[in-house]
Amino acid sequence: MSRWTQTGSSIIFLPYTLEQALEGLAAAGFENVEIGAVKGFLEHLDPDDLGPEAIDRCRALLDRHGLRVVSMSGHAPLHQEIGRTRLENVLRAGKELGISVLNSFTGDAETPEEIAAFVANVRAVADEAQDAGIRLCLETDSNLLPTAAIGQRILAEIDHPNVGINYDPGNVIYYTGAVPEEDIELALPHLGHVHLKDQRGGKGRTDFPPLGDGDVDIPRILRTLDAAGYDGPVSMEIEFTDYTWPAWEVCVEEARRSKAYWDGLGI
């Protein structure tokens, strides 16, 4: 039996409230969840408003639906101080809620000065996360880490034992057209989290359907993780076509169908 933690991401219910997202994930059959706290995109938790009241409300909703939060995505521009502050807010909330992984991305750092600031802030957040027993993972997303192959350079520059990769095969195709089933092999030594997301249509196409409906070889990805003994969260994402989410009831049904496909693989 695979050792990873099967997880459902709240992004499947992006336009809806946190309560609706958690209700939907529970209805789809998940017990473990990833919650988004990304300013201006996935604000199921607002990274600028994560005080005790917000944390208590989240905990109550998790309890109501019999869910456990294992990871959070707090993607923030870490070359800027506001980005570092927001990610630290998510980290501290995640510690209270019991997460094991905090995800972010490399964002829009481009100049040498921006990249230097990014590296310094990643190291600082990673130190705090390590003290809290939480792994900081950078997603295969945007310019510095669009693939595991390209990301080796920035990971070496960061050079921190608590910084890993959150591998998203759908993003790898979207940003570069690379083959994630091959590229993920390079991520394995650094892997701390996986976004199990399909993609349809190739590079630049914003079409991320339920598992099995796209072009990603999901069974091969899972077999690779299993053979490597990967034991972190594997969080299912659906972002639909052109970032256009259907009605909540349809999101539930598609999440249920996607999870059933995953479960049916027997990996």
Side-chain angles (χ1 to χ4, degrees), residues 115-232:
I115 292 172
F118 167 78
V119 169
N121 284 334
V122 168
R123 287 173 178 162
V125 176
D127 283 342
E128 185 176 345
Q130 190 167 34
D131 290 342
I134 296 169
R135 185 96 182 265
L136 177 61
C137 290
L138 301 176
E139 186 165 347
T140 47
D141 185 339
S142 64
N143 62 329
L144 296 177
L145 215 162
T147 66
I150 294 170
Q152 301 296 315
R153 179 174 178 178
I154 192 65
L155 289 175
E157 189 170 347
I158 294 167
D159 191 24
H160 196 292
N162 197 41
V163 175
I165 291 177
N166 172 29
Y167 199 86
D168 186 319
N171 281 359
V172 167
I173 296 176
Y174 173 79
Y175 283 102
T176 71
V179 180
E181 296 86 354
E182 298 173 0
D183 181 65
I184 195 172
E185 299 280 354
L186 296 174
L188 293 174
H190 311 282
L191 201 59
H193 196 277
V194 175
H195 277 161
L196 194 62
K197 185 171 78 185
D198 215 334
Q199 199 270 357
R200 182 168 49 198
K203 182 180 178 180
R205 183 75 172 99
T206 51
D207 190 352
F208 305 102
L211 301 183
D213 286 4
D215 303 326
V216 176
D217 189 341
I218 299 295
R220 181 175 169 185
I221 293 285
L222 293 174
R223 286 195 299 269
T224 297
L225 297 176
D226 188 44
Y230 172 72
D231 61 359

